[in-house]
């Protein structure tokens, strides 16, 4: 259910007297839950205090429908939205987002290269790999080859019911270096190769839909190994569950900040992005949610034991950067093939 939260920081007017009158508060749409709680502490509250404004929060449910409705009606009710990278690129292509003024943001040289986008600013790095129950195996699995090795590591395999990332995992398990994965996957032979590798574990697949399921299944012993989000596994580990996340050759993607087209608060949104790009602010977020920062300077500001549980530093050295562009171009065809493959 959608909810809103109003954060009154100051009695100052939301726009200075020289600016046009605006009949609503500065509004941010994000994912909600603990994720948004961490954003509030790291970004929302410092921004609202610095700008002397009332900030309204709401929940974004994914997709482009709401942004399209704002564009069609001219009633732009959001000023910033946190999106997945693929949706942000699609929205940018459709003219639903403002182009980012990277000069005003200092160029973005302190960020991971993938964070510097035409219409979005990468802010949260999410590790997508696989996990296991440490009490289940005398020897720990180390890579994707182990994930596909049913003899050495028996048990069912948890995977999302989607080709995205699973095809990348299969190719890396079959020996394709991360730097070559998308070049291989861009060919019919590469797609065949990925599905052939998936065939080797198909009989043991258990498909998950929600990020909480791999944790539940691994703890209960319903699966031997499962793909998972790093944040879910690290949070469960902190709660005392005997789970471990395998960082080697994981795939990382980004959640990004974007400014809806024709937001009346564009200037204030740019000021927000300056705070969101700050290393210390990103550290504050990652201390509350076990996802990584995009500011490369944040690593030196965190204790090694914290860095060890995040997609940053050495953990990202062997990782594959998820290609939004590849999946925008190829998703429909590969999803159709995946859906047919699953039921065969």
């Amino acid at each position: 259910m959608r909810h809103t939260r109003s954060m009154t920081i100051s009695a100052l007017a939301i726009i200075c007297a020289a600016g046009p009158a605006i009949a609503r508060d500065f509004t941010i749409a994000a994912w909600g839950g603990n994720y948004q709680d961490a954003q509030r502490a790291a970004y929302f509250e410092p921004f609202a205090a610095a700008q002397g404004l009332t900030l309204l929060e709401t929940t974004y449910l994914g997709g482009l429908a709401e942004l399209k409705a704002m564009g069609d009606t001219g009633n732009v009710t959001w000023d910033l939205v946190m999106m997945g990278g693929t949706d942000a690129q699609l929205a940018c292509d459709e003219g639903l987002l403002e182009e980012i003024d990277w000069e005003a943001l200092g160029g973005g040289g302190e960020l991971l290269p993938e964070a510097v986008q035409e219409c979005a600013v990468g802010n949260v790095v999410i590790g997508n790999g696989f996990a296991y129950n440490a009490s289940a195996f005398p020897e720990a699995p180390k890579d994707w080859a182990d994930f596909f090795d049913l003899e050495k590591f028996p048990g069912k395999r948890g995977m999302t019911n989607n080709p995205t990332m699973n095809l990348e995992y299969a190719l890396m398990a079959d020996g394709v270096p991360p730097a070559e994965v998308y070049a291989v996957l861009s060919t019919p032979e590469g797609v065949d190769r990925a599905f052939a590798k998936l065939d080797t574990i198909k009989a043991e697949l258990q498909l998950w839909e929600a990020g909480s399921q791999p944790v539940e299944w691994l703890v209960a012993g319903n699966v031997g190994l499962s793909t998972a989000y790093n944040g879910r596994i690290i949070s469960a580990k902190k709660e005392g569950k005997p789970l471990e996340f395998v960082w080697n050759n994981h795939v990382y993607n980004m959640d990004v900040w974007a400014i809806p087209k024709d937001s009346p608060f564009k200037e204030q949104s740019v000021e927000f992005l300056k705070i969101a790009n700050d290393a210390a602010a990103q550290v504050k977020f990652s201390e509350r949610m076990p996802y990584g920062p995009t500011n490369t300077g944040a690593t030196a500001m965190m204790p090694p034991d914290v860095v060890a549980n995040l997609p940053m530093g050495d953990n990202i050295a062997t990782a594959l950067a998820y290609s939004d562009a590849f999946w925008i171009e190829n998703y429909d065809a590969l999803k159709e093939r995946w859906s047919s493959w699953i039921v065969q």
Side-chain angles (χ1 to χ4, degrees), residues 144-189:
W144 288 109
D146 286 343
F147 184 89
F148 280 77
D149 191 337
L150 295 174
E151 182 176 347
K152 188 176 181 181
F153 298 97
K156 290 189 175 295
R157 297 298 192 261
M159 277 187 153
T160 54
N161 189 12
N162 209 305
T164 57
M165 298 194 190
N166 288 336
L167 298 186
E168 290 95 322
Y169 300 153
L171 288 179
M172 288 188 284
D174 206 42
V176 178
E180 299 175 17
V181 163
Y182 286 111
V184 173
L185 199 54
S186 295
T187 67
E189 297 79 11

